[in-house]
Structure formats: C-alpha cells, structure tokens
C-alpha cells in the first residue's frame, strides 16, 4: 500500500500527506510514540487459526440513497487442526438478518451471537474435524457510514466500503463505490476471518445500475442485464488470497486494455482521462515482464487491472489483480510532459502482486515482507528503465526520508505496537527497502534474486515472515545470515558514523578511522573503501564492527581521495571529514550519483561557486536540477555571466522539462530583462513546470502586468503553473477572485500541496473586506487542519495556526475573535 507518505517519497509521492510519498499500500508515516506506552508490554502474536477460510461467495446490491450494501454470503470453512463446533467471524457495524448452515442446497438456521457489532459468533450444528468443509450462509446489511475505526496516518477514517457522491449531489464529482481492506476493514462489508494469515478463493456478484462498470478480483465470468435498469456482474478468483485484498469497484469508467502474455492488463479511468490512460499506466506490461524475469516467477494471477477512485483515503492499494489508486494518479497530457509522477507508485503496487499477494505477511508484525519489498521495487524499476543514476537517486531519496524521520528506536519486525496501523511507517517502507538493497549489494544480484525466487516458490499462495525469508537466503547462499537479520530486522537504529583520515607520508600509510556514535547497537557491516590516485582506483573490503575501527593502507603517493562506502549503499548517517581537494577528486572520478551529489552539496555549503557550477554539465538531469537549486541560492552565481550563459542554454535546450524550468527560474531570480525572450517563448510551453517558471520570470520583470498574465494563463493551469498563477492572484488580493480561489483551495485533497498553499490563502483572506467571506475561508482552513491525521499535527499546526493568526492580527475585532474561537 502506498501511504500517506512519502513525501515521495518522491512520492514522488506528494500523494500522501506530508510524507512521499510512499503507498501498497505508496508514502503512512506514524513515527510519533503514543503518550500511553502500555502497548510496549503487549505481544502482538500471529492470529490463532481455529478455522480456515476455503471459499467466499458474495451476492451484493447497493443502496445509493442510504449508502448501504445488502449482502448474501456463502462462506465455506473448515477447522484448521483441532475439532470445533463454533465459528467466529469479523463483521463490523452490520445488521445480521440470518445465519444458517448451507448444505445440499438447503438452509438450516444456526444459533449465533453478535458481540459489540464486531464479532459474529456462530454455534455450528455439530463438531467438525480438520479439513471437513462446511458452508455458512449469512444475510446481512453493511452500513459503512455508520461505522468507523478511526484509521491511521496510512488510512483516514477506515470504514472498508466507500460511497462517493452516491446521490449525485456534487455536480463535478462522479458517483463511485470502492473498497479499502488493509488492514482489517473489509469485514465492514463482508463477514470473514479478517486476518492476513487467512487465504480463500472467492466469487463476488454485484448488481449495479447498468450505466456503471464493475471491477473485482479475478475474472469477469458473467454479465446479466435486468429488467429494472440494473446489471448483475459476477467476478471469480480461483486462486487463494487474503481477505484484506478483496476489492469491489463501481463507477462510470472507460476501460483501456493492454495485455501481458495473453492476460488482460486494463486501466479503469474517468472518461476525461481515457486518452492519456496509457501515458499514466502504459509501462505496466513492461513492468510485469521485468519483475517476472528478475524474480524468475512469472506473474501468477489471471489478469492485472488498475482503477482510480475519487476521495481515496490513501495513496494506492494492491488488491489482488485489481489495484486501486487515489485520484493523484490522474495527469493530463501537459502534466505528463513533466514526467509521470505516479510511476513509482504503479511499480510499488505491482510488485505487491508477488510480495504481499502471492506471499502475504503472516501478521502485521511482519509487514516488512510486504512493504519493504514494494518500496525496494521502485529502486530496481528505475535502475532498469532509466539507468543506474535514476535507480541510485531513488535509493538515496528513500534513505534520506528514513534518516530524517523519528524512527531510530523501532524494529523492522516488531511484535509490540499500539495499533496494527502503526507498522506502516518509515521503518517498514524506506528503511526496509534500503536493508534489502544493502543485502543485494552484499550477496550479489544472482544470489539475491535466486533467494527471492526460492522464498516465493516455497510460500506461494501462503504466508511468509522474516525468518522464512532468512532461511531462503541461507539455503541459496550457504551462508549464515542471522547476524544480518539480528541487526537490521530485529535490532533498532542505524550506524551514525564519524569518518576521519590520517596520512603518514613518512611511513607511506593512510588510516581511515570510523567511529560509531549511535546510542543503539554497534553494527557489523562489510564496507568497500576505494582509494583514488587520479583516475586509478583500488578497492578494499573491510568490516566495521566496533565502536571505533581503524583501517590502514599503504601508499606510494598520497591518495587524492579515500572514498568510504564506495558503492554508497550503507544505510547510515555520516560526518565525513574529507577536504575540498578530496571532493574535487570525488566529483571528477567517483562515478556514482551519490558521489556527485555529495560533492555538489559540499561545494554549495562552502561557497565554491566554480566547482558547484560544474554540475550544470552533468550527464544526469537529477544532478543538473540539484545544481540549479543550489546555484539559485548563491549570490555570486547570479552575477557570474559564464555560469548564466550555461543556465541560459539549459533553459532553452535541456531534454528534461523540470530541469529546464529550474534554469528558467534561476534566470527569473536575476530580474534581468535580457532573458525576457526566453520567458516569452516558454510561457506557451506544453510543460506546466516550464510555463510556470516563465510566468514567474515575466511577473518579476513586469509586476504591474503580472495579474493580467495570471488570469490569462490560469485557464489551463496545473502543477507549477497553477501554483504560480495562484500566488500572483492571491497576492493581488482582489475580492472578485474569492469564489475561484476558495473553490481551488477547497478542491485540493489533504495534501502537501494544500499545506503549502495555506499560508498564501490566509494572506489572501487578510486582504479582504467582506467579513462573511473571511470567516467562510477561515472555516475551510480549520476544516483542513482538523482533517490532518493526528500523527502529523505537531508538524502542521504551528504553520497553520500562525497563518490564521495573521488574519486575526490584520483584521482585528470580530474576525480576531472568530479566529481565536476556531483555533480552540
């Protein structure tokens, strides 16, 4: 699942609130320790198996006026091992109309008790033995809007079944139905044993208005038009999967079809996005091929479909054969010119079809065998599709996401937590992905992927956990890996390294002194140290394993550079005492993305303007963009004509639009009218980022005309262009723009973009004279503030409260009192 993450995590992932991204469940960061720490003593065991699910058959109809679902279920079960005369099902917030034994086409009523509107406890007609199947029939009503488990940073307001605009009252929003099962929320709409260590085949029949299409797991095996204007669709999944991976989707979608080895690969999108569906999802067949070949395990399921849901509560969700994406996946043709910002999420969710769906974590404590792999998959997809630099950039960004979080005291496999939702965090996602990447580097690609192959084959259509993963690696490699698992899977933290260098020219010896300063365990890890004399590199493998390790090397000529962690894969924080000359050599000869990124950062921090400008000619757009960001902050660069000539060339000719836009933005910051010809041309560019930077440039040169330009180019504005247009219009503070500004603010989901816009929106409100409009706008801000998951409020409230207070200070009187009351 791609979470309210990540930031990205490129998210990347601006799709999850204040996080990148991450998602599967894509970028949930819940890294704050709860005030009540009694959970630390509660061991979260794998759910006991008294009965095993065998098959789930559902027949459901939807009541759009009430947001109810009327369900009939035939649930086939058998005892796991010990004989039993009872069955307990998760069934949340339902009306239970009938519970019967279904045998030979006949129903026999069974006694049952419905406890706390959560657990349906059924007394069977006899004691059943292991593997003796029986089928229970249940007639029920699901009322999801009358049930909520509160959710988490990953899932907001979890209620399993969601009716979106069911009565059609919101004219600009389609009517849709979709479900969200992870962690244990599908039991809001179907009685089941809602645990990840259960597996069942299924058949789901949905009766819907004939104008809508449906989607569920497996294959569509029948469709029947009814006389009342409805249609009945039946979907069947013959391969077992966990209940939380069940899915239903209903809506007015276009279906764009591709294929992989004769299997359907389809994209369910609103009709407006049908022309660009392949632009968003079109790499999916290639991804399936790449993952299948890399793992040596072909895609196991009968089809793979993806659907986009409005008002989705997370980033994306890897329902078996039917992934659900949030509406942030939608991008028009101009947005795609700036690169598909959802591709990592698509890759992430697809990899779950192996790690999470084919082999599913046995308990939420072991979510790493789902989410860490999906996070890791983003790195290897980018590496394969776009080259080593792009893969390394993805890995580096995820590493920084983890390191800048507050997660050092959490284990990757954790059996103690306050709530199962808490495991969807920076440890399970980016840290876990980096742990896998380090293991790949240590063992080598061949051994690493052979081990994953064994793990998948040994456990397919079953459950897995971290120890089974270790045993697969040990079986393939013949090595004991308990030390690695104990450190990284069951230990906490990461190395915090201080790296210094001592050169003894008389003895011709160089010493590398590595201190581990973290408060947790001392790590034992293999590390490559590369010694450079000019372009000549000599590699040494060493092991850090003590609080202080000293490694000494002989030399004839003093090295130009000693590069610790030459492959830049070690998950660590480091203070590296290299000199300026060392970094110059690193820039010139060390080949990797992180090598160059570190050098550029050093040059920027130390005002080495010339050396910093060398990044403008880097082969990788990511380094060029990073360099432009740093140069824009450097006053000397803004007046250096040699540098500006290079920036001018990039602004006109760079192949990557976001890099081009950064160059235009840097030129705009000079306020030099000689660049107007660039802005005039770029303002009509098909790229929103390029056009947005150009509008910024034109507005700096002619501030009096900025408002008119913003109104002109705001008719088709998204992304960077929309942000620039909004900033200009908000700064103008005109009452006549109130409706459109409020509409745009209100339409944004709870996202990083909305958070970023909030100070400007409040500044706009402070310029108005209409008190009622100001108060209505304040209500919008407060509603957004309260919609932010509690885990983030400590980060977001200060900014939002300060923005609101500015309105109070500016307007005083009744408005000030209104703000103070709203902030209580």
């Amino acid at each position: 699942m791609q979470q309210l993450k990540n930031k990205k995590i490129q998210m990347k992932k601006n799709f999850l609130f204040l996080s990148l991204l991450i998602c599967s469940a894509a970028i949930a960061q819940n890294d704050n320790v709860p005030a009540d720490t009694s959970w630390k003593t509660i061991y979260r065991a794998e759910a006991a198996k008294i009965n095993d699910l065998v098959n789930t058959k559902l027949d459901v109809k939807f009541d759009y006026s009430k947001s109810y679902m009327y369900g009939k279920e035939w649930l086939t079960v058998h005892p796991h091992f010990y004989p039993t005369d009872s069955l307990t099902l998760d069934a949340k917030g339902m009306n239970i109309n009938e519970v019967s034994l279904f045998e030979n086409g006949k129903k026999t009523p069974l006694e049952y008790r419905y406890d706390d509107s959560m657990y349906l406890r059924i007394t069977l007609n006899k004691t059943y033995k292991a593997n003796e199947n029986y089928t229970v029939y249940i007639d029920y009503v699901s009322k999801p809007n009358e049930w909520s488990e509160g959710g988490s940073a990953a899932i907001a307001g979890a209620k399993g079944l969601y009716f979106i605009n069911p009565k059609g009252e919101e004219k600009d929003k389609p009517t849709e139905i979709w479900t969200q099962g992870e962690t244990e929320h599908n039991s809001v709409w179907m009685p089941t044993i809602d645990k990840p260590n259960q597996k069942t085949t299924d058949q789901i029949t949905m009766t819907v208005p004939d104008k809508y299409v449906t989607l569920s797991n497996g294959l569509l095996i029948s469709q029947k038009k009814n006389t009342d204007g409805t249609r009945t669709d039946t979907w069947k999944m013959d391969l077992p999967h966990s209940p939380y991976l069940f899915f239903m989707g209903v809506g007015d979608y276009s279906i764009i079809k591709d294929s992989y080895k004769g299997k359907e690969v389809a994209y369910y999108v609103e009709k407006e996005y049908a022309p660009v569906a392949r632009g968003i999802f079109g790499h999916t067949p290639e991804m399936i091929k790449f993952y299948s070949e890399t793992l040596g395990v072909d895609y196991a399921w009968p089809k793979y479909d993806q659907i986009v849901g409005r008002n989705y509560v997370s980033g994306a969700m890897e329902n078996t054969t039917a992934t659900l994406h949030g509406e942030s996946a939608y991008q028009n043709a101009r947005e795609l010119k700036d690169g598909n910002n959802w591709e990592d999420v698509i890759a992430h969710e697809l990899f779950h079809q192996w790690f999470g769906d084919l082999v599913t974590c046995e308990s939420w404590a072991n979510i790493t065998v789902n989410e860490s792999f999906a996070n890791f998959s983003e790195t290897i997809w980018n590496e394969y599709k776009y080259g080593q630099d792009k893969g390394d950039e993805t890995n580096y960004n995820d590493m920084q996401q983890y390191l800048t979080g507050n997660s050092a005291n959490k284990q990757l496999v954790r059996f103690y937590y306050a709530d199962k939702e808490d495991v969807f965090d920076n440890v399970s996602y980016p840290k876990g992905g980096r742990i896998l990447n380090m293991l790949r580097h240590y063992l080598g690609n061949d051994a690493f992927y052979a081990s994953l192959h064994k793990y998948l084959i040994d456990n397919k259509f079953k459950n897995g956990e971290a120890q089974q993963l270790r045993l697969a690696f040990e079986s393939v490699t013949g090595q004991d890996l308990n030390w690695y698992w104990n450190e990284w899977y069951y230990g906490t933290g990461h190395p915090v390294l201080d790296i210094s260098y001592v050169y003894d020219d008389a003895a011709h010896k160089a010493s590398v002194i590595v201190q581990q300063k973290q408060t947790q365990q001392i790590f034992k890890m293999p590390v490559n140290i590369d010694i450079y004399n000019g372009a000549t590199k000599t590699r040494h493998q060493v092991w850090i394993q003590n609080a202080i390790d000293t490694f000494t090397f002989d030399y004839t000529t003093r090295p130009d550079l000693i590069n610790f962690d030459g492959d830049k894969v070690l998950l660590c924080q480091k203070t590296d005492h290299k000199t300026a000359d060392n970094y110059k050599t690193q820039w010139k000869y060390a080949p990797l993305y992180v090598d160059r990124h570190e050098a550029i950062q050093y040059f920027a921090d130390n005002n080495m303007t010339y050396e910093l400008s060398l990044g403008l000619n880097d082969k990788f757009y990511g380094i060029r963009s990073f360099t432009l960001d740093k140069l824009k902050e450097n006053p000397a660069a803004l007046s250096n004509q040699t540098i500006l000539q290079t920036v001018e060339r990039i602004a006109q000719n760079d192949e990557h639009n976001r890099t081009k836009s950064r160059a235009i933005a840097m030129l705009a910051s000079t306020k030099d009218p000689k660049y107007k010809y660039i802005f005039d041309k770029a303002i009509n560019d098909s790229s929103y980022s390029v056009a947005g930077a150009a509008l910024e440039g034109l507005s700096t040169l002619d501030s009096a005309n900025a408002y008119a330009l913003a109104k002109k180019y705001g008719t088709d504005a998204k992304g960077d262009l929309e942000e620039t247009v909004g900033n200009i219009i908000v700064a103008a503070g005109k009452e006549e723009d109130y409706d459109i500004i409020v509409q745009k603010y209100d339409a944004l989901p709870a996202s990083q973009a909305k958070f970023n816009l909030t100070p400007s929106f409040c500044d706009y409100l402070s310029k108005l004279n209409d008190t009622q409009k100001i108060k209505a706008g304040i209500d919008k801000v407060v509603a957004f503030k309260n919609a932010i998951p509690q885990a983030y409020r400590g980060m977001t409230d200060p900014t939002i409260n300060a923005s609101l207070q500015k309105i109070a200070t500016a307007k005083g009187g009744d408005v000030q009192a209104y703000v103070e009351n709203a902030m209580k």
Side-chain angles (χ1 to χ4, degrees), residues 583-595:
Y583 277 110
K584 290 177 184 179
T585 300
Q586 182 167 316
W587 169 260
K588 188 173 183 179
Y589 295 117
L592 300 179
Y593 166 84
V594 177
D595 291 317

Side-chain angles (χ1 to χ4, degrees), residues 164-175 311:
I164 307 303
N165 195 21
K167 300 178 184 179
E169 295 170 337
E170 299 177 71
K171 64 178 182 178
D172 295 325
K173 182 180 293 183
T175 297
N311 292 9

Side-chain angles (χ1 to χ4, degrees), residues 395-552:
N395 188 70
Y396 177 81
N397 287 341
D398 279 342
M399 188 181 297
Q400 299 312 304
Q401 182 189 334
Y402 161 70
L403 291 174
T404 55
N406 180 27
S407 307
N409 293 316
K410 294 182 179 181
Q411 298 166 318
L412 184 57
V413 178
R414 73 194 83 150
F415 292 99
Y416 297 88
Y417 49 78
D419 186 90
K420 56 187 176 295
E421 309 290 346
D422 296 345
V423 301
F424 296 85
D425 61 10
N426 262 332
V427 175
S428 298
Y429 285 74
K431 183 182 183 182
R434 310 295 63 74
I435 289 168
L436 290 168
N437 195 53
M438 286 192 297
L439 188 60
R440 175 173 68 136
H441 176 261
Y442 172 62
L443 296 174
N445 272 352
D446 290 346
F448 179 81
Y449 289 117
S451 300
L452 298 191
H453 174 89
K454 179 172 177 57
Y455 170 78
L456 290 170
I457 293 299
D458 288 352
N459 301 290
K460 64 181 179 180
F461 305 116
K462 295 185 291 186
N463 294 96
E465 48 107 348
Q467 291 292 7
Q468 288 167 288
L469 184 64
R470 176 183 63 82
L471 291 172
F473 273 96
E474 291 184 342
S475 176
V476 168
T477 65
Q479 296 186 29
D480 174 74
L481 291 170
N482 272 296
W483 65 271
Y484 193 88
W485 258 248
N486 289 340
E487 283 185 357
W488 291 108
Y489 282 83
Y490 301 104
T492 61
H494 53 269
V496 178
L497 305 179
D498 184 274
I499 307 161
S500 57
Y501 309 89
V502 176
Y503 297 91
D504 186 341
D505 288 337
H508 297 284
K509 292 184 182 297
S511 296
V512 182
I513 303 166
V514 183
Q515 298 183 56
Q516 297 196 41
K517 293 191 169 184
Q518 67 274 7
T519 58
Q520 296 88 7
Q521 60 181 317
I522 296 296
F523 284 81
K524 170 188 174 183
M525 282 296 297
V527 178
N528 289 324
I529 296 179
D530 294 340
I531 300 179
Y532 285 83
N533 288 97
T536 302
K537 179 180 77 174
T538 304
R539 169 160 288 190
H540 303 270
Q541 187 181 76
V542 301
W543 287 76
I544 59 170
Q545 52 192 337
N546 300 294
I548 301 178
D549 288 298
T550 301
F551 309 102
T552 302

Side-chain angles (χ1 to χ4, degrees), residues 46 49 196-200 239-242 244-245 301 354-362 369-370 454-465 468:
E46 177 188 2
K49 289 185 173 182
N197 62 352
Q198 291 284 339
K199 297 269 184 169
T200 170
L239 300 171
H241 61 138
S242 294
Y244 79 88
L245 297 167
W301 309 101
W354 287 266
F355 293 93
D357 295 8
L358 184 63
V359 182
T360 308
C361 62
E362 67 168 14
V369 298
N370 290 15
K454 179 172 177 57
Y455 170 78
L456 290 170
I457 293 299
D458 288 352
N459 301 290
K460 64 181 179 180
F461 305 116
K462 295 185 291 186
N463 294 96
E465 48 107 348
Q468 288 167 288

Side-chain angles (χ1 to χ4, degrees), residues 155-296:
I155 298 295
K159 53 186 180 181
L161 174 64
Y162 295 79
F163 288 80
I164 307 303
N165 195 21
K167 300 178 184 179
E169 295 170 337
E170 299 177 71
K171 64 178 182 178
D172 295 325
K173 182 180 293 183
T175 297
E176 296 175 356
I177 294 172
W178 46 261
T179 61
Q180 169 59 40
E182 194 172 37
T183 50
E184 297 171 7
H185 309 306
N186 276 345
S187 48
V188 174
W189 57 273
M190 63 173 188
T192 189
I193 304 174
D194 205 352
K195 301 297 178 184
N197 62 352
Q198 291 284 339
K199 297 269 184 169
T200 170
T201 56
D202 73 82
Q203 179 173 304
I204 298 179
T205 297
M206 290 177 269
T207 298
V208 300
D210 190 39
K211 62 183 178 180
Y212 295 144
V213 300
T214 66
L215 178 64
S216 189
N217 315 100
L219 299 177
L220 180 62
I221 62 171
S222 72
Q223 290 188 299
K224 176 188 174 184
K225 289 195 174 188
N226 305 310
T227 57
D228 60 356
T230 64
R231 191 186 69 255
T232 300
D233 293 355
T234 298
W235 294 81
K236 189 173 185 180
M237 168 64 86
D238 286 328
L239 300 171
H241 61 138
S242 294
Y244 79 88
L245 297 167
F246 281 35
F247 175 75
M248 297 188 300
V250 182
D252 187 12
Y253 290 99
S254 292
I255 305 174
I256 311 302
K257 294 187 178 182
D258 282 334
S259 66
Y260 169 74
K261 289 188 174 181
K263 296 181 178 181
E264 176 186 288
V265 177
Y267 322 123
Y268 287 61
V269 297
E270 293 171 29
K271 296 186 186 313
E272 173 188 352
Y273 291 94
V276 293
R278 285 194 174 91
I280 300 169
F281 298 106
H283 285 319
T284 303
E286 185 180 0
M287 288 179 180
I288 298 174
K289 181 177 185 292
F290 167 64
Y291 289 149
S292 294
E293 292 177 352
T294 299
L295 297 169

